[in-house]
């Protein structure tokens, strides 16, 4: 086969792509007809595609490119590390400098006594690690009955069998024999969609108390842990009412269960602090990390354990690990990414400049006739699309129909803004400037106008009864 380059005609690249490449979460036949968008290069918050478009990336790739694209320093570090030690494992009583340095840095950055890192190649792998960690923890403590992990519907914790089971995505559970046993899902704190006549505050309390009810029903002696994203990301950037997390923390403190905060999206500055747990005042025993850890420049994830959990696990041989646990190149790149986040005060930029500006502009989208609530924590936001704001009505059409139309209008306007059902979501690189935020919002507004016109023209402007 001749060399495949960025300079080939898009149609040829698309044909090869659909012939040989299977995409995640994709209906392949549908994509083959349409052809995938071919991204060729990127710098800052801007993507280029094979058709010469310059696209503003409102999703930081897949919630991960926190420092933006094209940072030479990371390329340099990767090249240097590949020359010096491209690979060695961390099994069999060996270690290397990049993994030591990264683990020590993470222990310094993570709150409280979260001081011990078990590395993985991704967030999914890290959450699989967590399933085995918490069950082993209770075994070692002489409570082998504590096996059940409580999670939430519409949570996303990964796509492997274990992490997909922790997640609460019904479409995923329908394929391939998930969930595995001893995972229990409670309802999510999504007031807009499920709050009914309750105030957000009462609804938040009610949903948090489902955790207590589940612990009491299942039996405290059978529950090992509760896992949750501080702010649900892939589920549609669902921000819990203010009453939710304090009540969850109270329940976790009262009963003997471990709290796992899945920080894969919320970590590394996304919410305006290093970790979402700090923003929401949560004290987890274990944090899952990935994505922003390396700003997506290398695949790496991990679990950060508090002293006590690490001590208990450390008292036995934990028969678990991945070939790429603590990969030297990924570790070195992650460490350089953390250096940039810290030295360039990227999180201060989020807190003081980018997030306040973005939040103001984002909130103004509620003036649009189709936009109900606009939510945002730090640099992750969502808007709910609705045919009737007052009643928070859903559309009569299949969920996601209107959202998909709007997402297509975003693409057509060179903006990456995603839809989850009939919510639109953004999570731009943290280094985005106020001027770039203005461009993002201007394009979002145009896309919403065009989407609204199309929804009306197609007779979809109808509330579900
Ligand atoms: N936990 C959370 C909270 C995530 O968002 C994972 C774990 C799994 O990480 P890996 O690295 O195994 O993908 C994620 C990943 C989407 C989307 O459509 C979100 C994710 C992955 C793919 C798609 O928003 N999040």
């Amino acid at each position: 086969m001749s060399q495949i380059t960025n300079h080939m005609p898009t149609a040829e690249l698309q044909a090869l792509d659909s012939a040989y490449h299977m995409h995640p979460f994709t209906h392949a036949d549908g994509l083959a007809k349409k052809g995938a968008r071919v991204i060729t290069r990127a710098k800052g918050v801007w993507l280029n595609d094979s058709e010469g478009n310059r696209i503003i990336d409102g999703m930081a790739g897949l919630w991960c490119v926190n420092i933006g694209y094209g940072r030479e320093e990371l390329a340099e570090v990767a090249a240097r590390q590949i020359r010096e030690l491209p690979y060695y494992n961390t099994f069999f009583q060996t270690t290397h400098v990049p993994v030591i340095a990264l683990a020590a840095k993470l222990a310094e950055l993570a709150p409280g006594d979260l001081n011990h890192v078990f590395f993985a190649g991704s967030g999914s792998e890290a959450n699989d690690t967590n399933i085995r960690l918490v069950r082993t923890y209770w075994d070692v403590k002489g409570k082998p009955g504590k096996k059940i992990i409580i999670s939430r519907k519409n949570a996303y914790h990964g796509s492997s069998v274990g992490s997909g089971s922790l997640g609460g995505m019904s479409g995923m559970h329908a394929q391939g024999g998930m969930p595995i046993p001893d995972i229990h899902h409670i309802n999510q704190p999504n007031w807009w969609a499920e709050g009914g006549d309750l105030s957000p505050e009462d609804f938040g309390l009610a949903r948090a108390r489902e955790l207590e009810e589940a612990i009491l029903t299942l039996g405290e002696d059978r529950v090992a842990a509760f896992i949750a994203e501080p702010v649900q990301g892939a589920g549609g950037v669902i921000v819990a009412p203010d009453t939710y997390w304090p009540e969850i923390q109270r329940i976790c403190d009262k009963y003997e269960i471990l709290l796992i905060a899945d920080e894969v999206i919320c970590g590394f500055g996304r919410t305006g602090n290093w970790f979402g747990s700090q923003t929401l005042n949560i004290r987890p025993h274990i944090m899952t990390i990935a994505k922003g850890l390396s700003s997506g420049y290398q695949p790496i994830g991990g679990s950060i354990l508090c002293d006590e959990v690490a001590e208990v696990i450390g008292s036995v041989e934990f028969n678990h690990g991945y070939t790429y646990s603590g990969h030297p190149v990924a570790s070195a790149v992650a460490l350089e990414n953390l250096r940039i986040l810290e030295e360039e005060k990227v999180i201060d930029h989020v807190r003081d400049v980018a997030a306040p500006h973005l939040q103001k502009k984002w909130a103004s989208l509620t003036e649009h006739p189709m936009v109900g609530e606009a939510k945002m924590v730090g640099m992750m936001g969502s808007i709910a699309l609705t045919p009737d704001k007052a009643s928070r009505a859903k559309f009569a059409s299949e969920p996601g129909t209107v959202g998909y139309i709007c997402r297509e209008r975003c693409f057509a306007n060179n903006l990456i803004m995603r839809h989850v059902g009939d919510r639109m979501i953004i999570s731009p690189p943290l280094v985005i400037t106020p001027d770039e935020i203005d461009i993002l919002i201007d394009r979002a507004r145009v896309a919403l106008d065009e989407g609204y016109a199309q929804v009306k023209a197609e007779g979809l402007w109808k509330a579900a009864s």
Side-chain angles (χ1 to χ4, degrees):
M1 190 184 290
S2 60
Q3 208 185 356
I4 298 172
T5 71
N6 268 347
H7 306 294
M8 280 175 83
T10 303
E12 276 180 47
L13 289 168
Q14 289 171 328
L16 289 165
D17 182 71
S18 78
Y20 302 116
H21 172 211
M22 299 191 73
H23 291 246
F25 285 86
T26 294
H27 189 291
D29 295 350
L31 181 62
K33 289 194 195 88
K34 198 172 163 203
R37 185 184 277 253
V38 183
I39 303 298
T40 50
R41 51 174 48 84
K43 182 89 186 155
V45 302
W46 296 94
L47 304 167
N48 282 54
D49 73 7
S50 56
E51 297 290 271
N53 293 306
R54 273 191 95 223
I55 306 157
I56 189 160
D57 184 4
M59 285 306 298
L62 211 45
W63 320 81
C64 51
V65 188
N66 289 9
I67 60 165
Y69 299 91
R71 292 296 302 244
E72 279 296 320
E73 300 91 326
L74 274 67
E76 287 300 323
V77 162
R80 205 182 314 136
Q81 188 58 47
I82 288 171
R83 289 197 185 96
E84 194 170 297
L85 181 71
Y87 176 76
Y88 202 75
N89 67 70
T90 52
F91 290 51
F92 314 125
Q93 306 183 353
T94 56
T95 191
H96 49 72
V97 173
V99 77
I100 297 169
L102 180 61
K105 186 70 200 173
L106 286 167
E108 180 196 315
L109 293 175
D113 67 349
L114 291 157
N115 287 325
H116 312 270
V117 192
F118 194 105
F119 285 104
S122 66
S124 301
E125 285 181 5
N127 277 327
D128 275 19
T129 299
N130 290 338
I131 296 173
R132 303 199 60 215
L133 268 178
V134 298
R135 290 177 176 170
T136 304
Y137 170 89
W138 288 115
D139 280 347
V140 177
K141 300 256 290 188
K143 297 189 175 174
K146 284 168 84 71
K147 289 269 184 297
I148 298 173
I149 303 173
I150 300 176
S151 179
R152 306 183 296 183
K153 293 177 188 163
N154 199 36
Y156 190 83
H157 296 298
S159 194
S160 57
V161 174
S163 63
S165 297
L166 288 177
M169 299 288 177
S170 50
M172 292 175 70
H173 290 176
Q175 295 174 328
M178 297 199 284
I180 57 170
D182 288 336
I183 310 287
H184 180 84
H185 294 92
I186 59 174
N187 284 306
Q188 59 173 336
N190 181 350
W191 176 77
W192 178 266
E194 301 173 10
D197 295 334
L198 290 180
S199 68
E201 293 72 27
D202 288 348
F203 176 73
L205 278 180
R207 284 287 154 104
R209 286 182 186 149
E210 286 194 20
L211 175 61
E212 189 159 35
E213 286 154 26
I215 294 168
L216 295 174
T217 309
L218 297 164
E220 190 183 337
D221 53 345
R222 292 182 60 221
V223 178
F226 173 61
I227 183 168
E229 304 150 82
V231 177
Q232 282 158 266
V237 185
I238 310 299
V239 183
D242 290 344
T243 47
Y244 181 79
W245 275 109
E247 185 66 0
I248 291 282
Q249 186 67 56
R250 179 192 70 75
I251 295 164
C252 289
D253 290 346
K254 178 167 176 192
Y255 300 95
E256 230 191 354
I257 61 167
L258 297 173
L259 174 58
I260 308 169
D262 187 334
E263 296 269 4
V264 167
I265 286 176
C266 293
F268 306 102
R270 176 64 52 198
T271 69
N273 286 293
W274 276 98
F275 297 97
S277 296
Q278 293 162 317
T279 303
L280 292 162
N281 213 4
I282 308 165
R283 294 185 307 280
H285 299 91
I286 299 174
M287 291 195 322
T288 321
I289 54 171
K291 293 192 190 276
L293 168 58
S294 67
S295 281
Y297 281 59
Q298 284 283 293
I300 182 167
S303 308
I304 314 185
L305 285 57
C306 70
D307 289 343
E308 201 261 339
V309 172
E311 197 179 305
V312 170
I313 295 294
S315 69
V316 294
E317 179 169 335
F318 184 44
N319 296 315
H320 179 78
Y322 308 105
T323 300
Y324 300 132
S325 287
H327 190 286
V329 180
S331 298
V333 168
L335 192 62
E336 182 65 5
N337 170 61
L338 298 181
R339 186 193 66 73
I340 288 175
L341 283 173
E342 196 167 35
E343 286 184 13
E344 297 185 4
K345 301 194 184 332
V346 174
I347 297 168
D348 292 349
H349 166 77
V350 168
R351 204 167 28 221
D352 301 338
V353 180
H357 189 70
L358 181 59
Q359 291 191 12
K360 196 167 86 218
K361 294 259 163 173
W362 193 246
S364 75
L365 292 178
T366 54
E367 290 155 17
H368 193 277
M370 197 161 50
V371 177
E373 69 169 1
K375 293 298 232 183
M376 183 158 281
V377 176
M379 302 284 279
M380 57 195 294
S382 59
I383 48 180
L385 305 178
T386 175
D388 180 16
K389 301 184 192 202
S391 67
R392 311 203 305 273
K394 297 182 175 58
F395 286 96
S397 48
E398 182 72 18
T401 309
V402 173
Y404 180 78
I405 288 172
C406 289
R407 190 200 69 180
E408 290 298 279
R409 296 325 305 158
C410 291
F411 275 5
N413 284 286
N414 287 332
L415 163 66
I416 307 277
M417 171 161 83
R418 291 249 318 277
H419 81 112
V420 175
D422 292 323
R423 288 182 89 85
M424 306 303 296
I425 58 174
I426 56 160
S427 168
L430 305 185
V431 294
I432 192 168
T433 65
D435 287 349
E436 288 166 337
I437 288 171
D438 293 347
I439 296 171
L440 188 159
I441 297 290
D442 286 348
R443 290 187 184 181
R445 204 171 273 127
V446 171
L448 286 168
D449 284 345
E450 292 177 5
Y452 180 52
Q454 189 176 335
V455 164
K456 288 225 151 167
E458 291 183 14
L460 296 169
W461 189 253
K462 267 192 230 122
S465 46

